[in-house]
Amino acid sequence: MPFPLNDLGNAVRAQIYQTVVGGDETVKPSQNTFFTWVTPGLPFTPNELDFAADGIFSAPDAETQNKRVLHAYNLSTLLDFIPDVEGPYSVERQEAMYKPDAEKRLSEIYRQILRFSKVAHFELTDAEKAKLEKFNNLLWEKKTVKDLVTDEEKEVTEASAMMRAYSEKMAAYLDAAAEYNSKRAAAAGATGPEGKQASADWILNQKNYALKVKAAMDAWTSGGYRNEVDKINAYISQTTERSLVLWKESLKERYEQALIATPEVGVSFPYTTLVPGDIANSNGWTEIGVTHNHTEWSKDQTNTSWNAGVGVGWGFFNFNAGVSKQNTEYTENHQVNEFSLRFELAQAVIVRAGFYPEFFANRGWILRKGEGWTFDDMPSDGGRPPKGEFVGYATQAIFARNLEVKSRDFVSAYKATTSKVEGSGGVGWGPFRLSGGYSRSNSHEDFNSTEDGETLRVPGMQIIGFVNHLIGKAPNPLEELKDADFE
């Protein structure tokens, strides 16, 4: 019995969706989650994720370090997108297509929200103000000094005797800790005859270096007022956190601190990585198998619906290296007989340094149009599907690898489509890239498959989709907050 490619595609899609998102009473799909399909898949070689597996600054030389930071830039750029929920949906699930907007980057919209948001600020009581002033005076003292040039007197703030003792003892502790760490690192990285001294030093003196650290810590506590200063700072932090102003400023600082730059591209970008970083060699791969027998099962696999009602075809298509689709040679209704598909699936968590999405859950901030915020919409109206400038963000990247299709009709259709491809173009089916070139920055790579007449094999791994989180309505200030409470 022949089966349309689209029916087979729906079976594959349902299998992946169930595996990644869930769909029964035990593992229900989250109302705040939706899936983004990448069409065609985005190939990755293990060396393109070397920075995620081994770090950037652990590179043995400058050339390798520069390559790793370029790889980090490529991944950061790829993942710096806001999911588009207005794209076509498949069946009735909460699904959409990966369609990054070149004019709307996640990192920049997040920066704009932090920059122009107004946050709640509450006045402290007189008692709290008095206690804060007392504690601040214990840490800092004001002095009147004479300007050496003009002889004018002016008031300056300096560290108190308590704070100076604290800082001096802390510096001594940090020195002892740095020495300990450097000796340990030297011994751990020792190789060859020249490394014997570092190794022997650590073997014989590790306890001595550890004692120096302990002694410095004890001196910091007893003579450096460590506990007293830490308690004072804790009270100051706890009291002032009733005002979100300081928290927002800390988020802005962390965002800036997370920016790094690549010598080749010459621009700063937000550091983004994957966990596990060494996904190519991790044990988290799950084998997926789909046959023509799954076509009926897939028709019943509807999940939480946005009632979009727009389907996504699973026919063959060709594309160029820029990943723009061309006309399909074989439509989704192309018929095949026997069909089986096997591949491995793995999920990697996306980690964005400097990005703190808990800000969106906070109900103590607003945005005012015309006061820095110049976009048409607020970040999100909280609808299903939502509408806004920042409706969600990708939390997981879904990888597939070692794709194998056994079907003479499928391979024949693939070969016919491939024969129409010119230059650096390729062929895809659903979210799977079956062959074709792809670009990363200024480099070009090839992604190839092999076939023997009835079996198509696609080695290597590729991102075929993303799991995204919806942030809910934002901003969504508490009803009791008045406009005057924000600054």
Side-chain angles (χ1 to χ4, degrees), residues 35 45 51 81 123 162 165 180 201 223 268 301 368 421 442 464-465 472:
F35 197 90
T45 58
F51 75 95
F81 71 95
E123 287 294 330
M162 175 188 285
Y180 180 90
D201 181 31
S268 296
Q301 302 308 304
R368 297 190 183 116
V421 175
N442 59 353
I464 62 170

Side-chain angles (χ1 to χ4, degrees), residues 47-69:
N47 73 294
E48 289 182 288
L49 296 175
D50 52 5
F51 75 95
D54 303 318
I56 294 176
F57 301 107
S58 63
D61 50 56
E63 292 82 3
T64 304
Q65 182 168 286
N66 286 342
K67 285 182 180 179
R68 288 184 184 180
V69 75

Side-chain angles (χ1 to χ4, degrees), residues 1-3 5 8 316 330 334-339 405-416 453-455:
M1 175 182 175
F3 299 88
L5 274 180
L8 293 169
F316 284 110
Y330 283 83
H334 183 77
Q335 305 285 308
V336 300
N337 289 292
E338 293 300 311
F339 173 90
V405 179
K406 291 185 178 181
S407 169
R408 186 176 296 275
D409 293 330
F410 187 96
V411 172
S412 176
Y414 164 75
K415 291 172 64 177
E454 60 182 42
T455 302

Side-chain angles (χ1 to χ4, degrees), residues 115-378:
R115 182 181 178 186
F116 296 116
S117 58
K118 310 294 182 181
V119 295
H121 175 64
F122 300 99
E123 287 294 330
L124 303 177
T125 66
D126 291 340
E128 289 170 332
K129 290 179 181 179
K131 196 170 183 178
L132 282 176
E133 184 177 4
K134 173 188 174 181
F135 283 162
N136 279 318
N137 290 337
L138 288 174
L139 301 180
W140 307 96
E141 56 188 21
K142 295 179 179 180
K143 287 185 176 181
T144 301
V145 299
K146 183 178 292 187
D147 192 297
L148 296 177
V149 177
T150 64
D151 287 333
E152 292 181 358
E153 291 186 343
K154 59 182 179 181
E155 192 176 69
V156 297
T157 301
E158 294 182 351
S160 66
M162 175 188 285
M163 198 63 187
R164 287 196 299 271
Y166 178 91
S167 300
E168 290 169 1
K169 297 300 183 181
M170 179 179 67
Y173 165 77
L174 293 176
D175 287 343
E179 180 185 31
Y180 180 90
N181 289 332
S182 67
K183 296 293 185 182
R184 180 178 59 82
T191 58
E194 65 276 8
K196 288 182 63 178
Q197 182 177 351
S199 177
D201 181 31
W202 182 253
I203 292 171
L204 297 173
N205 298 313
Q206 182 271 340
K207 288 186 178 180
N208 295 330
Y209 295 130
L211 285 173
K212 289 178 68 174
V213 173
K214 184 179 184 304
M217 173 70 77
D218 291 342
W220 187 11
T221 301
S222 60
Y225 304 99
R226 183 188 179 194
N227 291 338
E228 291 83 354
V229 172
D230 287 350
K231 288 179 181 178
I232 289 173
N233 283 327
Y235 176 82
I236 294 173
S237 176
Q238 179 183 8
T239 304
T240 56
E241 277 182 356
R242 290 179 55 192
S243 167
L244 295 180
V245 174
L246 295 179
W247 182 45
K248 174 186 163 181
E249 287 303 312
S250 71
L251 295 184
K252 290 166 64 177
E253 290 175 4
R254 293 171 193 174
Y255 174 86
E256 296 297 330
Q257 292 168 354
L259 298 176
I260 60 175
T262 166
E264 185 168 341
V265 179
V267 296
S268 296
F269 64 94
Y271 181 73
T272 306
T273 188
L274 299 175
V275 177
D278 192 18
I279 187 172
N281 301 312
S282 73
N283 297 321
W285 292 85
T286 301
E287 186 172 284
I288 303 294
V290 181
T291 69
H292 60 277
N293 294 323
H294 285 85
T295 54
E296 290 299 319
W297 166 82
S298 68
K299 294 178 182 178
D300 297 326
Q301 302 308 304
T302 57
N303 293 279
T304 304
S305 174
W306 281 344
N307 297 318
V310 181
V312 179
W314 274 62
F316 284 110
F317 61 86
N318 52 54
F319 56 87
N320 58 31
V323 196
S324 61
K325 295 183 185 179
Q326 308 298 322
N327 294 327
T328 56
E329 176 66 20
Y330 283 83
T331 70
E332 59 195 40
N333 295 319
H334 183 77
Q335 305 285 308
V336 300
N337 289 292
E338 293 300 311
F339 173 90
S340 69
L341 166 69
R342 304 199 75 81
F343 61 94
E344 293 176 293
L345 194 75
Q347 306 177 58
V349 176
I350 300 170
V351 179
R352 299 178 176 88
F355 175 62
Y356 292 83
E358 54 265 35
F359 181 78
F360 296 106
N362 188 283
R363 301 189 64 185
W365 62 279
I366 61 171
L367 284 167
R368 297 190 183 116
K369 286 189 177 183
E371 295 185 22
W373 186 256
T374 58
F375 295 96
D376 292 334
D377 297 315
M378 291 290 112

